Amino acid sequence: MGRHSKKKPRTVPASTEEQSFYGIIAAGVRDGELWVRKRVRRFAATVLSLLVSVALCCCGTFLWWDTQGKAKRARIEAENSCIQQVGSMTESYNKAFRLYGQVASKFSELNESYDLDALAALQDKKPEGYKLLHCDTDLDGDVREAKALKRSFDQLSVEYRKALTPVGK
C-alpha cells in the first residue's frame, strides 16, 4: 500500500504518548492556521489602509488642483472684464475727443447756424487725458476708475452733440 492510501485510517491513538504527540501536532496545526489567518488579516488590513491612503491623497490632490484652477479662472475672468472696461473707456474718450474737435472747429468758423454761446462754453471742457490702466494689481479699482472715466466722457459727448445740433431760425 502507498503512503496516501485511505484503506487504514487512524481514528484514535492507542497510547497516551501517542495521544499527547497527536495533541501537540494538532495544537501546532491550529497555531499555524491561526498564525496564517492573522498574517492574512494583517496583510489585507495593510493593503486596504494603503488603498484608502492613496485614494485620500488622490482626492486631496484633485481638490487642491480644482481650487487652484478655479482661482486662476476667476482671476483671468476679472482681468478680461477689466480689459473690456478699459477698452470701452478708451472708445468713449476717442468719441468725446473727436466731438470736441468738431466743437472747436465750428466755434472757430463762427458759423451762426450753431449756438455759439454753447460752443464757447464747451471750449473749456476738453476731455481730460485718461490714465493708462493696466489691470495688473488692483482690478476692482481699475474697473471702477474706468467706469467713472467712461461716464464722464459719455456725458461730455452728450453735451458736445447737443451743441453741435444746428439751430433752426
Side-chain angles (χ1 to χ4, degrees):
M1 292 235 206
R3 209 167 109 181
H4 299 291
S5 172
K6 293 189 179 186
K7 287 193 176 190
K8 286 182 157 182
R10 268 199 192 249
T11 55
V12 178
S15 68
T16 55
E17 287 179 10
E18 266 188 59
Q19 286 178 351
S20 67
F21 174 75
Y22 286 116
I24 292 172
I25 296 290
V29 169
R30 280 192 307 273
D31 286 344
E33 288 174 351
L34 182 63
W35 181 83
V36 168
R37 268 191 245 125
K38 283 183 180 177
R39 293 282 294 189
V40 167
R41 284 183 188 155
R42 194 176 306 145
F43 180 73
T46 303
V47 168
L48 285 175
S49 65
L50 182 66
L51 289 175
V52 168
S53 298
V54 168
L56 288 175
C57 287
C58 289
C59 288
T61 303
F62 175 75
L63 289 175
W64 182 80
W65 277 342
D66 188 47
T67 304
Q68 295 298 315
K70 285 179 183 176
K72 285 180 183 179
R73 284 190 298 273
R75 173 79 179 171
I76 288 171
E77 287 175 8
E79 285 178 359
N80 287 340
S81 173
C82 182
I83 289 169
Q84 287 175 351
Q85 288 296 326
V86 169
S88 178
M89 178 205 57
T90 304
E91 289 173 12
S92 291
Y93 174 78
N94 291 336
K95 184 169 78 173
F97 200 77
R98 187 174 55 251
L99 288 171
Y100 176 77
Q102 290 176 3
V103 165
S105 169
K106 298 298 179 190
F107 182 72
S108 65
E109 292 175 3
L110 297 176
N111 190 342
E112 290 184 12
S113 60
Y114 296 98
D115 184 7
L116 293 177
D117 292 333
L119 292 176
L122 291 175
Q123 281 294 94
D124 295 334
K125 285 190 169 184
K126 183 177 183 180
E128 59 189 58
Y130 60 89
K131 292 181 181 178
L132 290 177
L133 303 174
H134 299 289
C135 297
D136 287 339
T137 55
D138 184 21
L139 292 174
D140 293 333
D142 288 347
V143 167
R144 278 192 304 274
E145 193 169 343
K147 284 182 179 180
L149 287 172
K150 181 183 180 329
R151 274 193 302 274
S152 69
F153 295 146
D154 287 343
Q155 287 173 349
L156 280 175
S157 294
V158 168
E159 291 178 30
Y160 293 152
R161 284 195 194 280
K162 284 181 185 175
L164 288 171
T165 56
V167 177
K169 289 189 178 187

